[in-house]
Amino acid sequence: MQLTDDDKAMRDGRDGSAVAAAMDLLIRYGEGLGAERLCSVRNVAGTSTQPTPAKNKIAAEGGWNKAYAVINLDCDEDIEIPKMRVPTCQLQHGFSADALNITPYSPHLVELQADAESFASDRGINILATCTPYQVGNLPVRGEHIAWMESSAVVYANSVIGAKSNCEGTASTGAAGLTGRIPYWGNHLDENRKGTHLIRSDVRIDSFMDWGLFGYFAGDVVQEERPVLTGNLGLPSLTDLKHLGAALATSGGVEIFHLPGVTPEAPTVTEAFEPAPLPDVVVYTEADRRAAYESLNNQGTSEDVDFILLGCPHASLEQIAQIAALLDGKRLSPNTELWVMTPRALRSVADRNGYSAVIERAGGRLLTDSCPAMSRVAPEGTKVFATDSAKQAHYLPAILGIEAWFGTTEDCINAALTGKWNGALR
């Protein structure tokens, strides 16, 4: 790889053993990818605080410095981890103390995570604890090279904001925070951000659920490629775009999409593909819409719902307000639990606006920092859950061995109030 003088100095130990280990990892990583060089980043979003069995064992034997070295730097040496070189944040992790006595998450893990948070924040890592850092202040600028984990966050950053990131991992982001470097490949190169597939919806897309269904269909079509989405599309909100990107990254491995005239790098369909010619059109029909809906609902047979999960990716303030309005003056069925997942910073705003109180008076919970897929917990005894998230409907049955229903937010709130699933494609 072509290394700058600064790269070489970091590799050779100028800034200490941890930075040298980070550069060694990034050079090996870049060479494995065929990258010609590293690029500078000033925004890193990764994870270093969530307890795992391996991390807990390492930390118990050698402390959090050792755990970071092994897990985040692929380094077995005993080294001291310094402050991050560039702005770095912690994404979602396990449940925290505010979920004690609400979720069955282990108090021991809560304690370990709090200890890890103190270690991380002392080293300049901002504990945002959300899969949607762009909702709570981490908003890169268009064209900026960044190093982010979390599939739904990466696709949003690339597609909606116009920043440049591949879907990184625990080790590469751990090294990037200490060096301000990441391999220059993939989505960092303009030519790799152009569209590959043209998908036209003949179905009107103007609801939260339909943006999710369209994304789930398109992701399955393109897999890891780059769809350009056109057709009978309404103007999406930021919440719709969050849902669309998460669905694309769930049924496929999409890291960037284009909505001509909406997303920043595709003013027109032609410009989304230039200099390549337009490919053949893939048409999304009413039959495809129904097939996507049925695919997301093929993991449930019982209409008795125990658990309703909303907020994946983490709920926006708009979603929390809608949920509160649907619950206002009502009470959940005694047979159901409702969890609404959101960033802690937005929980504070929801508290101030009275949304949290409305949800809690109805018997629901507004929870932060995590989700059942990350923490691998649901209410005790859960057999059937309902969600408005294509991502959670896709993943959680396999993770927790429970049945799933997918529908609108209104369908999910109705299930929470009645204990029964009555959702249908309309």
Side-chain angles (χ1 to χ4, degrees):
M1 292 181 67
Q2 300 172 13
L3 301 180
T4 66
D5 289 343
D6 194 35
D7 294 339
K8 294 174 183 176
M10 285 191 282
R11 178 200 62 189
D12 295 339
R14 180 195 65 193
D15 301 326
S17 298
V19 174
M23 281 300 297
D24 175 70
L25 183 150
L26 292 171
I27 291 167
R28 288 185 284 124
Y29 176 40
E31 288 174 343
L33 295 168
E36 294 183 358
R37 63 181 178 89
L38 304 174
C39 64
S40 295
V41 295
R42 59 183 186 182
N43 186 325
V44 177
T47 179
S48 61
T49 60
Q50 183 177 18
T52 65
K55 186 184 296 182
N56 297 345
K57 184 175 186 296
I58 297 166
E61 294 173 352
W64 290 112
N65 278 296
K66 184 69 172 180
Y68 192 101
V70 173
I71 302 295
N72 295 87
L73 298 178
D74 188 34
C75 174
D76 290 326
E77 298 176 15
D78 290 323
I79 54 178
E80 176 73 24
I81 307 301
K83 283 188 176 294
M84 299 296 113
R85 188 180 192 188
V86 296
T88 300
C89 76
Q90 165 69 35
L91 295 167
Q92 77 274 30
H93 51 192
F95 283 111
S96 298
D98 59 355
L100 289 173
N101 302 317
I102 297 173
T103 76
Y105 196 63
S106 165
H108 176 62
L109 294 180
V110 171
E111 182 180 349
L112 283 173
Q113 183 166 279
D115 195 33
E117 281 189 26
S118 295
F119 171 85
S121 60
D122 284 348
R123 282 147 186 83
I125 298 174
N126 292 310
I127 311 298
L128 298 185
T130 176
C131 53
T132 59
Y134 50 85
Q135 291 197 117
V136 293
N138 187 349
L139 200 66
V141 300
R142 179 179 175 180
E144 179 181 3
H145 295 280
I146 63 176
W148 280 18
M149 287 178 64
E150 166 54 36
S151 60
S152 71
V154 168
V155 71
Y156 191 97
N158 280 318
S159 311
V160 181
I161 299 170
K164 299 179 178 182
S165 182
N166 297 304
C167 198
E168 298 293 347
T170 300
S172 58
T173 52
L178 288 169
T179 62
R181 299 285 195 274
I182 204 73
Y184 183 66
W185 78 291
N187 295 319
H188 292 286
L189 283 70
D190 288 343
E191 60 267 29
N192 292 336
R193 299 173 65 84
K194 293 292 185 175
T196 59
H197 293 68
L198 180 59
I199 300 179
R200 186 189 76 221
S201 177
D202 285 354
V203 177
R204 179 63 177 173
I205 308 294
D206 60 2
S207 71
F208 181 76
M209 185 181 78
D210 270 311
W211 282 109
L213 288 174
F214 188 32
Y216 198 72
F217 165 83
D220 186 52
V221 168
V222 307
Q223 291 300 301
E224 296 183 355
E225 298 295 339
R226 303 178 292 277
V228 177
L229 307 175
T230 66
N232 191 8
L233 310 180
L235 183 65
S237 68
L238 293 181
T239 298
D240 293 330
L241 291 168
K242 171 170 67 78
H243 190 37
L244 170 66
L248 282 162
T250 296
S251 58
V254 175
E255 295 181 2
I256 182 170
F257 66 87
H258 299 293
L259 282 171
V262 176
T263 54
E265 296 176 59
T268 66
V269 172
T270 300
E271 288 173 285
F273 291 97
E274 286 181 336
L278 269 62
D280 293 339
V281 177
V282 176
V283 179
Y284 176 65
T285 66
E286 185 60 46
D288 296 316
R289 176 178 182 256
R290 178 164 294 280
Y293 180 83
E294 290 175 352
S295 176
L296 288 165
N297 281 288
N298 70 359
Q299 300 172 88
T301 56
S302 173
E303 294 181 353
D304 294 321
V305 177
D306 310 302
F307 174 41
I308 294 81
L309 173 63
L310 304 175
C312 175
H314 277 174
S316 65
L317 197 62
E318 172 191 1
Q319 290 174 282
I320 296 170
Q322 179 193 13
I323 293 164
L326 291 169
L327 289 172
D328 195 12
K330 300 172 183 175
R331 186 72 188 172
L332 300 191
S333 163
N335 300 319
T336 66
E337 286 199 46
L338 166 66
W339 293 358
V340 182
M341 312 307 307
T342 196
R344 192 177 301 196
L346 291 188
R347 165 70 198 242
S348 178
V349 180
D351 290 350
R352 192 168 190 175
N353 283 289
Y355 304 143
S356 306
V358 171
I359 293 169
E360 289 172 357
R361 279 198 301 270
R365 301 288 189 175
L366 192 59
L367 299 174
T368 66
D369 295 356
S370 192
C371 73
M374 284 295 296
S375 295
R376 299 178 180 269
V377 296
E380 292 182 0
T382 294
K383 295 180 180 178
V384 183
F385 90 107
T387 183
D388 61 359
S389 166
K391 182 174 183 176
Q392 286 284 10
H394 181 95
Y395 285 124
L396 205 58
I399 292 172
L400 295 183
I402 57 180
E403 295 184 17
W405 293 109
F406 167 81
T408 66
T409 307
E410 292 84 353
D411 289 337
C412 292
I413 294 300
N414 183 62
L417 296 172
T418 64
K420 296 287 185 179
W421 181 253
N422 291 307
L425 188 63
R426 299 172 182 87

